[in-house]
């Protein structure tokens, strides 16, 4: 079957993967309302295309934290990619580098920061969970820095793991032969089978529930890398992130896997963008499946987007080649959307190019 859009990879992944693995990747928290909403909300944003503009040349390139990338589409951190394909994060790293964009490696990767760095050059960020044992965090950040990673994406929405019912039903555990490679030498690399979700038990035992804003200052004291705060969805937290010297914000609801009934990230985006008043870049994570979605996010003020599940499903379907094709399809669709909207560069994409169903008083957040 010829793949013509990113969504088609999910069907192939579902057929290929063991149920426990597919469910782990695909599911959200509790009723999964936010999981559906992350997608559905995009369909409530319509275009206002401008016509008779010379679009014979279109430039989709951009810069993120000073790094030049080929397009405003980057790869989000997703855990345990070797469950999807034997090459796991190494395939994703190679594909992302070939596409000329940024990969974010998960703390809970099944390949280490050093292994990913060894795949060759590329701009890579490291997603960080803060463990109770701060020495573990210190070591991890230092290793990421030494391996050439360019930024830390600090996940701030996971003091406890959201209730993912399929993981509970499936008694989720890391398949035999796989470990959380970054923690292997620290005896923290295994996720065992429990009477619950093995990951939920692991998080309860290891991740620091006392994490607070002051820890951003602590993190800045142990690394010179810029820190992106991942998991902000309100204006209030966006302003605090600016005060604490964050280098950027990733508007994310953790792929709808933490607190259900939070808004879709595309709905929360504009509130956050307005609150930061241009003082730092804001990125969108969640629900992006089409080039049109990328354009809509940029029109609402995002500096770029991160894609998570599409990376996993394309990896499961066809390894490195799958991830390459997924990124190329999103790029091609995005470029086409720009052309049909009358935009020749990212600078020309504006709020006037879209119309949302919350462009009415009762949809606006109380006070920005």
């Amino acid at each position: 079957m010829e793949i013509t859009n990113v969504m088609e990879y999910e069907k192939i992944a579902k057929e290929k993967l063991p149920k426990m693995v597919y469910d782990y990747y695909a599911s959200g928290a509790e009723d999964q309302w936010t999981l559906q909403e992350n997608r559905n909300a995009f369909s409530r944003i319509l275009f206002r295309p401008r016509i008779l503009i010379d679009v014979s040349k279109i430039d989709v390139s951009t810069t993120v934290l000073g790094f030049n990338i080929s397009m405003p589409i980057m790869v989000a951190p997703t855990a345990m990619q070797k469950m999807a394909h034997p090459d796991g994060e190494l395939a994703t790293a190679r594909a992302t580098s070939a596409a000329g964009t940024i990969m974010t490696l998960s703390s809970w990767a099944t390949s280490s920061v050093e292994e990913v760095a060894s795949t060759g050059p590329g701009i890579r960020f490291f997603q960080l969970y803060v463990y109770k044992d701060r020495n573990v965090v210190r070591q991890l950040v230092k290793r990421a820095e030494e391996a050439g990673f360019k930024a830390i994406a600090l996940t701030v929405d996971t003091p406890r793991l959201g209730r993912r019912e399929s993981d509970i039903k499936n008694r989720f555990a890391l398949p035999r032969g796989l470990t959380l490679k970054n923690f292997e030498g620290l005896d923290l690399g295994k996720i065992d089978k429990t009477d619950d979700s093995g990951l939920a038990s692991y998080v309860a035992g290891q991740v620091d529930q006392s994490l607070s804003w002051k820890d951003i200052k602590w993190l800045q004291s142990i690394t010179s890398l810029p820190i992106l705060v991942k998991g902000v969805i309100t204006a209030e937290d966006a302003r605090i992130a600016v005060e604490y010297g964050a280098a950027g914000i990733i508007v994310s609801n953790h792929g709808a896997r933490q607190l259900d009934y939070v808004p879709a990230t595309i709905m929360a985006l504009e509130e956050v963008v307005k609150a930061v008043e241009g003082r730092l870049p804001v990125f969108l994570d969640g629900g992006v499946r089409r080039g049109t979605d990328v354009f809509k996010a940029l029109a609402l003020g995002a500096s770029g987007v991160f894609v998570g599940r599409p990376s996993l499903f394309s990896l499961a379907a066809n390894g490195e080649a799958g991830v390459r094709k997924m990124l190329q399809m999103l790029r091609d669709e995005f470029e086409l959307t720009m052309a049909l909207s009358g935009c020749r560069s990212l600078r020309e994409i504006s709020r006037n190019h879209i119309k949302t169903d919350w462009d009415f008083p009762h949809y606006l957040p109380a006070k920005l």
Side-chain angles (χ1 to χ4, degrees), residues 6 17 37 43 70 79 85 96 124 157 230-231 238 290 329 366:
V6 164
L17 294 172
E37 184 67 1
S43 66
S70 66
H85 188 276
T96 310
R124 302 186 183 106
D157 58 10
K230 179 177 183 283
R290 285 276 190 193
M329 281 194 294

Side-chain angles (χ1 to χ4, degrees), residues 140-199:
L140 205 48
V141 168
K142 187 167 183 285
R143 282 171 57 198
E145 227 172 323
E146 287 173 354
F149 284 70
K150 303 300 186 195
I152 300 291
L154 175 68
T155 295
V156 294
D157 58 10
T158 313
R160 293 167 63 173
L161 204 69
R163 185 174 172 82
R164 306 167 191 175
E165 292 178 5
S166 47
D167 289 350
I168 298 167
K169 282 191 173 75
N170 294 332
R171 302 279 185 262
F172 176 80
L174 246 182
R176 188 169 301 163
L178 296 182
T179 59
L180 304 182
K181 266 290 198 245
N182 289 314
F183 299 98
E184 206 174 34
L186 302 161
D187 284 340
L188 297 169
K190 290 201 164 22
I191 295 176
D192 298 317
K193 216 175 175 84
T194 63
D195 290 341
D196 194 347
S197 153
L199 186 61

Side-chain angles (χ1 to χ4, degrees), residues 58-73:
I58 291 182
D59 179 12
V60 299
S61 67
T62 189
T63 61
V64 168
L65 303 184
F67 297 102
N68 296 322
I69 56 174
S70 66
M71 58 181 173
I73 302 162

Side-chain angles (χ1 to χ4, degrees), residues 3-12 39 288-290 293 310 313 329:
I3 300 274
T4 53
N5 68 66
V6 164
M7 275 85 73
E8 288 172 348
Y9 279 119
E10 180 165 0
K11 189 169 178 288
I12 296 169
R39 279 299 303 135
V288 172
R289 300 290 182 275
R290 285 276 190 193
D293 301 336
F313 295 142
M329 281 194 294

Side-chain angles (χ1 to χ4, degrees), residues 205-206 283-284 309:
Q206 302 302 337
F283 304 96
L284 176 99
R309 287 185 181 93

